[in-house]
Amino acid sequence: QVRLVESGGGLVQAGGSLRLSCTASGSIFSIRAMAWYRQAPGKQRELVASITSDDSTNSALSVKGRFTISRENAKNTVSLHMNSLKPEDTAVYYCYARHVTSWGSESSYWGQGTQVTVSS
C-alpha cells in the first residue's frame, strides 16, 4: 500500500510559477515510477511528466521546457516545478505512483489532486 499526499496548488497569473510536491508513504521501496497527471474540466486526464526509480524522466510536449519533474528520495517526495504557466495549464493535478512487488504484482496509486488555476 502506498499513500500519496500532494501540496502546492493554487492561483497564479499567466507567466508565473508554482511548485507541486507529492510525498509518498507506505511501501515506498517498491515504487518503480511516479508521475504527475492533470485533468481539466470536460477533458480526459493526461500525463504531464514522469520519473522512474532510476531518474529517467519524460514530459508531455505541451509542457516541455516549462515544467520539470524531480525527486528527493530522502524525503520520498516528487516535485513538479512549473514555470511560464499558461491559462491552459489550469487543471486538477494528480500524483501517481506505479508500485511493483518483488513477485511482480503491479498496482497504481493516486493522490487526491490539487487545483492549479492560471489566470490570464
Side-chain angles (χ1 to χ4, degrees):
Q1 290 284 342
V2 174
R3 181 170 182 251
L4 303 173
V5 178
E6 302 130 332
S7 62
L11 173 65
V12 65
Q13 288 189 332
S17 300
L18 278 176
R19 187 181 81 170
L20 306 182
S21 294
C22 174
T23 299
S25 60
S27 301
I28 61 172
F29 296 107
S30 295
I31 292 176
R32 294 296 174 259
M34 294 185 71
W36 286 95
Y37 283 75
R38 67 185 181 187
Q39 187 166 20
K43 294 188 177 181
Q44 289 189 331
R45 190 172 297 189
E46 63 175 358
L47 175 67
V48 177
S50 63
I51 185 166
T52 64
S53 55
D54 59 358
D55 290 334
S56 176
T57 62
N58 187 33
S59 59
L61 285 176
S62 59
V63 305
K64 277 190 187 296
R66 300 189 298 123
F67 292 10
T68 302
I69 189 169
S70 62
R71 185 173 58 185
E72 302 172 43
N73 274 340
K75 297 182 180 181
N76 311 319
T77 298
V78 171
S79 296
L80 184 68
H81 303 262
M82 306 184 293
N83 298 315
S84 302
L85 282 159
K86 304 175 181 180
E88 51 263 44
D89 294 318
T90 295
V92 178
Y93 284 70
Y94 296 91
C95 182
Y96 163 87
R98 176 173 170 258
H99 181 271
V100 183
T101 65
S102 57
W103 56 92
S105 176
E106 186 168 333
S107 302
S108 295
Y109 294 91
W110 294 91
Q112 79 283 0
T114 185
Q115 177 71 46
V116 171
T117 303
V118 184
S119 63
S120 57

